[in-house]
Amino acid sequence: MSKLVPPHGGKGLVCALLEGKALEDEIKKAEGLKKVEISSRAKGDLIMMGIGGFSPLDGFMDKANWKSVCEKMLLTDGTFWPVPVTLDISAEDAAEIKAGQEIALVRNGMLLATMKVDEIYEMTDEDKKFECELVFKGQGEDSQKFWDVAPTDHPGVKMVLAQKPFNVAGKVKVLSQGEFPEKFAGTYMTPAQLREQLDARGWKTVAALQLRNPMHRSHEYLAKLAIEVCDGVVIHSLVGNLKPGDIPAEVRIKCINTLVDKYFVKENVIQAGYPLDMRYAGPREALLHATFRQNYGINRQIVGRDHAGVGDFYGMFEAQEIFDKIPQPADPGKRLLCEPLKIDWTFYCTKCDGMASMRTCPHGKEDRVILSGTKLRKFLSEGQPIPDHFGRNEVLDILREYYSGLTEKVEIKMQHAASGPAE
């Protein structure tokens, strides 16, 4: 009997991925269907619906669910869900598709899924602005200030504003996991595969460390804190697309493997990967991470400084605070059961002679090596020396090799937070 938290939504793992003869038959049928090209983000969303990572979702949201999720963080049936999962299409495709029709979803020529269309609805500029205001704008941030900057500087907002003018909703049948199982063999896992590993170890209280940056000393410290209070930790890396200037998954995974091999008790840590693109939705995305991680068998999510943030759009601990404000459906199966493991700003302190946080270190800013993924990427991209205690030498060697091979480098903007707290 598994000790793990049940999947989100109260329906077990809802997996839309076909196998065997059903898969063969659907692929043949898809040859005669209208093909609709989808975005990279939608590809990741589709695969998550296929493998059960987005349970209980079994398709892209209709307008009522889109609106309810934006406004209330609830599906129309009352299940908690923090971020819209929608599929945008062109006006030309919308004119050729009708409710009840079946279509094939492709990405760069790869057949990924079929969909039974339930609804096609327009997404006006006002609709897109409505979504951005509710999903991407920081708590208490002035709307005018947000819109002065976000359309050019916030990658998540830019993505929504650039979406095609219609959304199509309906249940999907997923036909492929794309390149992920082969490209990230040994790291990429479905929820069922990770649950099997967690059950084999007899774990019950499992923490996740979200990673989209190379693993520096602060990440290592967070993971080890979680190991101290939980049965183990899953270092859960995003292996989908990131914004320009971020470090690709292959390099990050190599860094993690090196750290786990040399600095962790291996029995207490699992490295895994999931196929989503980043949305850069800050607090709302922290909730999405917790929601799908519940499906992976994880019931604690480490939430440190500026989780899933970008630039200076969010308060440093807004992603922690939002967990205290989410709706609590009466049905336990519809609630979010993966709880935050809230940890303060962490850094290396020369006077403490070790890793510390704002809660444990009494010393001043001049004694602290402030750690951030943005700061590390900026140092590396500009060929600057890396301060002592910022990262493990073995990891820095891997990153320097990667940066030395780049022919075109992206400017890394430093947000205010990367400089550290005022005191």
Side-chain angles (χ1 to χ4, degrees):
M1 176 72 90
S2 177
K3 303 175 184 176
L4 301 172
V5 66
H8 181 58
K11 301 177 181 178
L13 287 177
V14 177
C15 300
L17 184 66
L18 299 185
E19 296 178 338
K21 188 174 186 307
L23 174 61
E24 294 174 11
D25 291 346
E26 198 69 17
I27 290 174
K28 288 179 183 177
K29 184 174 74 174
E31 293 173 2
L33 300 179
K34 174 178 172 56
K35 308 295 190 298
V36 175
E37 182 74 19
I38 65 172
S39 66
S40 175
R41 187 191 75 181
K43 173 185 173 181
D45 293 346
L46 257 181
I47 294 171
M48 285 291 272
M49 286 187 271
I51 63 179
F54 271 0
S55 301
L57 301 188
D58 60 4
F60 288 100
M61 293 177 182
D62 58 21
K63 190 158 192 177
N65 274 292
W66 165 79
K67 188 171 188 291
S68 182
V69 166
C70 288
E71 288 183 327
K72 305 174 186 176
M73 293 192 279
L74 294 171
L75 299 173
T76 54
D77 71 357
T79 302
F80 174 80
W81 197 271
V83 171
V85 178
T86 55
L87 178 60
D88 62 309
I89 59 172
S90 67
E92 293 75 17
D93 282 337
E96 297 176 8
I97 298 171
K98 293 180 172 56
Q101 182 178 343
E102 289 187 90
I103 58 175
L105 306 179
V106 299
R107 172 70 181 167
N108 296 331
M110 178 185 289
L111 175 64
L112 292 171
T114 60
M115 171 193 275
K116 179 75 174 289
V117 176
D118 288 334
E119 181 183 355
I120 303 153
Y121 56 99
E122 187 176 4
M123 285 292 288
T124 65
D125 290 343
E126 284 303 308
D127 289 329
K128 293 176 183 179
K129 185 175 179 180
F130 171 86
E131 179 175 332
C132 290
E133 286 257 355
L134 291 173
V135 177
F136 292 94
K137 187 166 73 71
Q139 181 183 7
E141 185 176 2
D142 177 74
S143 288
Q144 186 56 54
K145 183 179 178 183
F146 175 77
W147 285 110
D148 285 345
V149 180
T152 55
D153 280 8
H154 193 301
V157 170
K158 289 165 67 176
M159 191 186 309
V160 172
L161 296 180
Q163 285 177 187
K164 296 167 187 173
F166 289 85
N167 281 347
V168 59
K171 189 173 180 178
V172 297
K173 294 178 181 178
V174 179
L175 310 177
S176 171
Q177 296 180 62
E179 72 280 10
F180 296 106
E182 290 186 7
K183 185 175 182 180
F184 300 105
T187 298
Y188 171 81
M189 292 187 204
T190 68
Q193 288 168 337
L194 182 55
R195 281 176 170 270
E196 184 178 2
Q197 286 205 24
L198 298 174
D199 281 334
R201 298 190 186 202
W203 291 3
K204 177 181 179 182
T205 304
V206 184
L209 174 66
Q210 159 73 19
L211 277 187
R212 79 174 198 249
N213 277 311
M215 197 169 177
H216 51 62
R217 290 291 297 276
S218 184
H219 295 133
E220 180 187 333
Y221 183 58
L222 293 175
K224 288 178 175 177
L225 286 175
I227 290 171
E228 293 285 3
V229 298
C230 299
D231 295 326
V233 69
V234 176
I235 301 173
H236 211 196
S237 298
L238 177 143
V239 296
N241 280 350
L242 298 160
K243 67 181 187 300
D246 285 347
I247 294 175
E250 301 95 309
V251 179
R252 288 182 279 114
I253 288 170
K254 187 176 180 181
C255 292
I256 296 166
N257 284 336
T258 299
L259 271 175
V260 170
D261 184 54
K262 294 182 179 296
Y263 296 101
F264 283 84
V265 177
K266 295 178 186 176
E267 290 76 15
N268 298 330
V269 61
I270 294 173
Q271 185 187 175
Y274 65 95
L276 287 182
D277 289 9
M278 278 295 295
R279 282 171 160 82
Y280 300 98
R284 286 274 194 132
E285 189 155 4
L287 293 174
L288 179 66
H289 290 163
T291 303
F292 72 68
R293 289 201 166 103
Q294 182 179 327
N295 292 322
Y296 278 88
I298 293 161
N299 63 343
R300 297 286 187 276
Q301 175 169 277
I302 299 168
V303 184
R305 175 187 59 80
D306 200 28
H307 186 108
V310 59
D312 295 318
F313 283 95
Y314 306 107
M316 288 301 94
F317 298 101
E318 204 172 321
Q320 294 182 358
E321 295 160 2
I322 197 170
F323 280 84
D324 302 324
K325 303 170 184 176
I326 62 174
Q328 298 290 340
D331 180 350
K334 296 182 177 182
R335 295 178 200 156
L336 176 62
L337 301 180
C338 180
E339 299 177 354
L341 188 57
K342 301 177 182 179
I343 300 178
D344 209 327
W345 200 307
T346 57
F347 42 81
Y348 185 90
C349 175
T350 55
K351 282 190 176 175
C352 291
D353 192 25
M355 294 300 300
S357 78
M358 295 290 287
R359 290 175 61 86
T360 61
C361 172
H363 304 118
K365 183 176 180 179
E366 67 278 4
D367 300 311
R368 298 168 180 167
V369 179
I370 302 300
L371 312 173
S372 82
T374 304
K375 198 171 185 178
L376 177 59
R377 286 185 284 111
K378 186 171 180 66
F379 285 152
L380 289 164
S381 66
E382 296 175 357
Q384 296 184 39
I386 308 299
D388 286 343
H389 307 294
F390 205 106
R392 299 290 186 181
N393 289 333
E394 298 92 337
V395 170
L396 295 177
D397 287 344
I398 295 169
L399 295 174
R400 288 191 183 100
E401 181 182 3
Y402 163 72
Y403 274 97
S404 69
L406 290 180
T407 55
E408 184 175 343
K409 297 183 180 180
V410 176
E411 181 186 357
I412 307 298
K413 293 184 178 180
M414 286 286 285
Q415 70 265 44
H416 175 74
S419 301
E423 296 180 355

